[in-house]
Amino acid sequence: MIKVAICDDDNLFAHQLENIILNTCDNEGIKVDTEIYLSGFTLEKGILTGQKFDLIYLDIQMENGDGISAAKNIRKMDDNVILIFVSSYDRYMMELFRLDVFAFIKKPIDSASFSKIFLDANQKICSKSFFFAFKYRNQEYKIPCKDILYYESRGRQISIHEKSGEIHVFNGKLSDVEKNLEKGKIPFLRIHQSYLVNYFLIKSRTKSEVTLINGTNLPISEDRQKQFSIDYGKMLRGEINV
């Protein structure tokens, strides 16, 4: 799931942006959590008290705390958050360049262009290294999720299969792993009682089987075929029917 903040003192416009984001995510199968802030000051306060965002949309000129000042303060607290400015004013471009801004969208906005920029930002978020952590025999491990091909469950033991061919083992339930991964940026799809696969590393699929980039074939259980097809289709930017 990605977390998005929208900061604009025009409440109606902020909700317009939120609706475009929610509709885009619904169409693309992206899990998102959005928050609206009506001033740069309240956004800064939220982040200072522990709120974490992957992506922030900011207006430049607002009554209580302008967007550029807010962005400068946010950058001191979070180097990784993606910043996108949405504004009628484009004379601050040099200032925005110094703040490592991902994009500038000029008002009035075009919904299709806005959605494309959002999807580009989401791709950048998902390309970052997020880790899966686990313990086994009193040792703690962490593996970048982007390197994990799939999880395999046998009884109470789970095997993690990496792109490199390396395999790690720990004790647990695949349903718990699936739940924990929902909070991450790399989408993993449950195709079987025993398999959870990295969507980005699926090379091809049929109704009853997926082939991963290393040539591994894994079965899709009959009871999961319909839901898998829906989820997979949304991520391909279009419904794919079984």
Side-chain angles (χ1 to χ4, degrees):
M1 177 180 288
I2 66 169
K3 290 183 67 67
V4 179
I6 302 164
C7 184
D8 196 300
D9 57 1
D10 183 338
N11 191 36
L12 186 63
F13 181 77
H15 279 92
Q16 179 188 348
L17 295 189
E18 182 181 44
N19 287 333
I20 297 172
I21 292 168
L22 293 176
N23 288 335
T24 301
C25 289
D26 185 55
N27 291 334
E28 305 296 337
I30 299 168
K31 293 182 179 180
V32 65
D33 181 30
T34 58
E35 291 279 347
I36 290 177
Y37 294 88
L38 300 180
S39 74
F41 175 76
T42 55
L43 173 60
E44 286 180 52
K45 187 177 179 181
I47 294 173
L48 191 61
T49 54
Q51 283 278 25
K52 290 282 292 181
F53 295 103
D54 301 298
L55 172 59
I56 298 175
Y57 290 91
L58 283 157
D59 191 7
I60 289 179
Q61 291 195 342
M62 293 178 284
E63 289 186 7
N64 298 311
D66 69 274
I68 290 179
S69 295
K72 287 178 179 177
N73 292 329
I74 290 166
R75 271 283 174 254
K76 294 174 185 177
M77 296 182 277
D78 190 339
D79 287 333
N80 295 315
V81 64
I82 291 177
L83 300 176
I84 296 178
F85 276 88
V86 185
S87 179
S88 304
Y89 302 92
D90 57 5
R91 62 178 181 269
Y92 301 95
M93 296 304 291
M94 185 55 68
E95 195 75 24
L96 302 187
F97 177 77
R98 295 191 187 102
L99 290 167
D100 186 25
V101 173
F102 184 78
F104 175 83
I105 302 172
K106 193 168 184 178
K107 296 180 182 179
I109 64 166
D110 174 73
S111 296
S113 176
F114 182 91
S115 294
K116 183 183 183 306
I117 292 171
F118 170 80
L119 292 173
D120 289 343
N122 177 64
Q123 188 173 19
K124 182 175 181 180
I125 292 166
C126 290
S127 69
K128 296 177 183 177
S129 292
F130 294 91
F131 295 90
F132 179 79
F134 63 95
K135 289 183 180 180
Y136 187 64
R137 293 181 178 174
N138 297 319
Q139 292 262 20
E140 293 186 357
Y141 302 86
K142 67 174 186 177
I143 304 171
C145 288
K146 64 182 179 63
D147 293 336
I148 298 173
L149 278 167
Y150 66 99
Y151 295 82
E152 179 181 12
S153 174
R154 292 187 179 182
R156 291 282 298 174
Q157 195 170 76
I158 296 174
S159 301
I160 302 174
H161 297 258
E162 287 195 72
K163 287 190 294 185
S164 64
E166 195 170 356
I167 299 174
H168 309 270
V169 177
F170 68 99
N171 297 321
K173 295 181 179 178
L174 196 59
S175 57
D176 292 338
V177 173
E178 183 179 17
K179 188 174 181 180
N180 288 335
L181 289 170
E182 287 177 357
K183 304 171 186 175
K185 316 302 176 190
I186 308 295
F188 282 81
L189 301 178
R190 188 75 174 264
I191 63 167
H192 190 280
Q193 183 178 352
S194 301
Y195 300 111
L196 188 62
V197 302
N198 185 337
Y199 164 77
F200 290 135
L201 302 183
I202 296 174
K203 181 179 179 181
S204 63
R205 67 116 185 185
T206 65
K207 179 178 178 179
S208 59
E209 186 177 78
V210 296
T211 300
L212 303 180
I213 60 167
N214 69 338
T216 298
N217 296 313
L218 297 174
I220 307 170
S221 61
E222 188 174 349
D223 62 323
R224 296 181 187 272
Q225 287 174 5
K226 184 176 181 181
Q227 188 59 50
F228 171 75
S229 184
I230 291 170
D231 295 340
Y232 187 84
K234 283 183 177 180
M235 291 177 184
L236 285 176
R237 304 187 183 185
E239 298 292 340
I240 296 177
N241 297 317
V242 186

